[in-house]
Amino acid sequence: MNIDKTPIPGFKAVNFFRRVKDELSREMEGKSFEEIKTILEQRREKAQAQEHSQTAASGKAA
């Protein structure tokens, strides 16, 4: 994984993570543990697929 350590102008980490936390809270409100577990597994699989496709694309460009 290539990590760019240059700061993103205007990016506010605390605000970003609060917004993400609030979105997750709203999405999970009233759901059972099994439903929450399924949602999180789907998100993880989607993120891994995106990471894999980005890695494959960067490998082709090299």
Side-chain angles (χ1 to χ4, degrees):
M1 178 189 294
N2 186 10
I3 299 174
D4 183 6
K5 295 188 179 198
T6 58
I8 301 170
F11 179 73
K12 305 292 184 196
V14 173
N15 292 339
F16 172 77
F17 283 104
R18 283 182 182 157
R19 189 176 71 239
V20 169
K21 179 186 67 111
D22 291 343
E23 288 174 13
L24 285 171
S25 294
R26 281 192 298 276
E27 184 178 340
M28 294 178 187
E29 185 176 7
K31 295 198 175 11
S32 70
F33 174 74
E34 291 301 319
E35 290 172 312
I36 292 170
K37 187 174 160 184
T38 301
I39 290 168
L40 294 176
E41 287 172 354
Q42 290 170 347
R43 282 177 173 249
R44 184 186 64 212
E45 290 169 2
K46 182 179 176 183
Q48 287 175 339
Q50 287 176 343
E51 183 177 314
H52 179 70
S53 67
Q54 289 173 352
T55 302
S58 66
K60 291 178 186 175

